[in-house]
Amino acid sequence: MSPKKYLAIISCKSGKMDYACEAKELYSKNVFFRKQFDFLETAYDKVLIASAKYYLVLPTKIIEPYELSFDERIRVNKIRNIADEEFKQKWGLKVKEQIDKVINMFDEIHFHIPNSYWKYISSHFKGNPKIRKVSQQINPGENKKRYIEALVHYNKTKEIKLFIIEERRKAINPEIEKWFYGPNGEEFFGYTRGLVKKYPYLDEGTIHKLSKGKINHHKGWIIDKNILKQLQQVNGKWRIKNI
């Protein structure tokens, strides 16, 4: 019996090189993309990149840099062009057509992509046993860590163990709900994900560090009211005054 053949789909990332190059190089500015791609390139028979602009592309395809995203939570100072609903629907149909052309070449196709992209693909493959969406971790740092672990496991066993990526582990130091205070008098009580959903210009990873007390402020937002009066904006960036 011949071994199973696997195709992996990885999503594009917001951090990009500013010059035309191979797709895998264009997105390599993003550290999570690099770790994710390292695992997929090693463990899978073939990898395709799901690009918001170029649909599914080979990692070696030369493409131009662009600003386009499906995820409205991404920092607006990095991504200013969010695809509209009509484009997203057409994108999903085009990706479906591309998958249809190669689906018989593989035993399983794994989509390592966020829900903001999967939403426009899933309905086209509902009930198809070859298609699997690989759940991602909420925390970007944890997500990166899981792909590193999956690569170590594969190198030892030659097994693609998706459970390593998908497992919901109990946090050693879980985030708790708290008050966040904004630079313009905003007040928010809850978790960082809720805060970023309400104020999408905030970076989820950085605001999570604020919540854990690893940094003092992020874009004028604080959790310690005592430093509010010490914050000042210099050349568009928030700084703590030297007292």
Side-chain angles (χ1 to χ4, degrees):
M1 182 182 293
S2 58
K4 284 186 174 183
K5 296 197 71 176
Y6 295 90
L7 168 64
I9 311 296
I10 180 177
S11 64
C12 59
K13 302 294 186 285
S14 58
K16 301 177 184 69
M17 300 300 184
D18 59 359
Y19 53 85
C21 55
E22 291 185 347
K24 63 182 178 182
E25 180 181 352
L26 187 76
Y27 304 116
S28 67
K29 189 174 181 179
N30 183 290
V31 66
F32 172 50
F33 178 88
R34 296 199 301 271
K35 299 305 179 183
Q36 194 178 30
F37 188 79
D38 285 347
F39 166 65
L40 301 182
E41 185 179 40
T42 302
Y44 284 77
D45 298 285
K46 193 179 188 68
V47 180
L48 294 175
I49 300 174
S51 163
K53 181 176 181 180
Y54 298 107
Y55 309 99
L56 296 185
V57 298
L58 289 168
T60 53
K61 181 177 177 60
I62 304 295
I63 57 176
E64 296 280 345
Y66 62 92
E67 283 191 352
L68 184 65
S69 176
F70 285 11
D71 190 347
E72 297 181 9
R73 296 180 299 113
I74 290 178
R75 293 167 287 183
V76 296
N77 64 326
K78 290 289 183 73
I79 295 292
R80 297 181 177 85
N81 190 11
I82 305 297
D84 61 32
E85 189 66 20
E86 182 181 1
F87 178 85
K88 292 174 183 177
Q89 295 290 348
K90 290 180 179 178
W91 182 91
L93 182 58
K94 174 67 175 178
V95 168
K96 183 262 184 189
E97 292 170 352
Q98 289 180 286
I99 292 295
D100 284 345
K101 292 178 180 179
V102 300
I103 195 168
N104 291 329
M105 298 167 57
F106 299 95
D107 295 286
E108 293 184 29
I109 300 177
H110 298 165
F111 283 82
H112 295 257
I113 62 176
N115 291 331
S116 54
Y117 287 80
W118 178 244
K119 175 181 177 181
Y120 299 97
I121 303 170
S122 58
S123 62
H124 299 300
F125 298 108
K126 191 173 183 180
N128 191 317
K130 284 191 172 185
I131 304 296
R132 176 169 176 177
K133 162 71 166 66
V134 181
S135 297
Q136 304 291 291
Q137 298 296 316
I138 295 173
N139 181 277
E142 184 65 21
N143 225 6
K144 179 180 70 174
K145 176 184 174 184
R146 297 303 184 85
Y147 278 91
I148 294 173
E149 289 181 19
L151 177 58
V152 170
H153 178 82
Y154 180 82
N155 285 334
K156 289 180 179 178
T157 66
K158 301 305 176 187
E159 174 193 17
I160 298 174
K161 193 169 183 178
L162 299 179
F163 179 74
I164 294 174
I165 298 169
E166 297 182 310
E167 181 189 10
R168 294 293 185 256
R169 300 172 185 170
K170 186 176 181 180
I172 298 174
N173 180 26
E175 181 189 12
I176 61 173
E177 291 182 291
K178 59 176 61 67
W179 282 102
F180 295 86
Y181 305 97
N184 299 308
E186 305 97 332
E187 294 187 352
F188 177 87
F189 182 78
Y191 296 104
T192 52
R193 282 186 63 80
L195 179 63
V196 173
K197 185 175 182 180
K198 187 172 182 178
Y199 301 98
Y201 67 88
L202 298 174
D203 175 63
E204 187 169 347
T206 308
I207 206 72
H208 191 264
K209 289 181 180 179
L210 173 66
S211 177
K212 289 298 189 72
K214 295 180 179 180
I215 57 175
N216 292 321
H217 62 91
H218 172 55
K219 295 187 177 179
W221 284 81
I222 54 93
I223 56 175
D224 181 358
K225 267 191 167 182
N226 293 323
I227 69 170
L228 260 181
K229 294 181 179 179
Q230 300 174 35
L231 280 177
Q232 62 179 351
Q233 212 169 11
V234 179
N235 297 324
K237 295 184 178 181
W238 290 95
R239 298 285 186 266
I240 295 179
K241 297 177 186 177
N242 294 320
I243 304 294

